[in-house]
Amino acid sequence: MVQRNDILSLGFYEKSPFTGSDHLLRYRIEKLETVEKKLLQITIWQGIYSFDHTPIEEKTTHTEDFSEEGMQQIITWLNQKSSELSFRAFCLTNYN
């Protein structure tokens, strides 16, 4: 489970993306800027390959406001997806 102190401060994302992993799930958090506002985008994928070497169709993205509240929503979403993936892996391992 990813917690807020596992993820860097918002200031870091002004300059560069952050990549990490949670068990079977890999993720990348980055800043997106539109004409109207700044956003945080998280991209998740499975597997051994890096962000750049994973096909786009194998990635899932989620976007929130560029704020502490947005970061907390990103973390909540990430933990939900990680739990879903772990549950599926558990079922495949134990019920096949």
Side-chain angles (χ1 to χ4, degrees):
M1 175 179 238
V2 176
Q3 297 184 22
R4 179 63 185 103
N5 61 350
D6 297 324
I7 304 294
L8 300 174
S9 69
L10 283 176
F12 177 87
Y13 300 97
E14 291 287 351
K15 298 179 182 173
S16 134
F18 175 78
T19 56
S21 64
D22 186 40
H23 302 286
L24 301 171
L25 196 62
R26 307 218 182 286
Y27 61 89
R28 174 180 163 136
I29 302 171
E30 61 190 317
K31 177 183 78 170
L32 291 180
E33 287 196 66
T34 67
V35 175
E36 297 105 25
K37 60 182 172 177
K38 290 193 291 188
L39 302 168
L40 283 168
Q41 177 175 284
I42 183 168
T43 304
I44 59 172
W45 69 98
Q46 288 180 261
I48 60 172
Y49 298 113
S50 69
F51 179 84
D52 293 332
H53 291 97
T54 300
I56 195 165
E57 57 273 0
E58 294 180 18
K59 299 175 188 173
T60 303
T61 60
H62 179 77
T63 305
E64 295 288 346
D65 289 332
F66 191 91
S67 65
E68 275 302 321
E69 182 180 327
M71 181 60 79
Q72 193 56 55
Q73 291 171 338
I74 289 275
I75 293 167
T76 299
W77 184 83
L78 172 60
N79 286 328
Q80 176 187 4
K81 295 300 180 184
S82 184
S83 293
E84 290 170 8
L85 179 60
S86 294
F87 179 73
R88 276 184 266 153
F90 173 80
C91 289
L92 289 173
T93 302
N94 293 295
Y95 297 105
N96 276 335

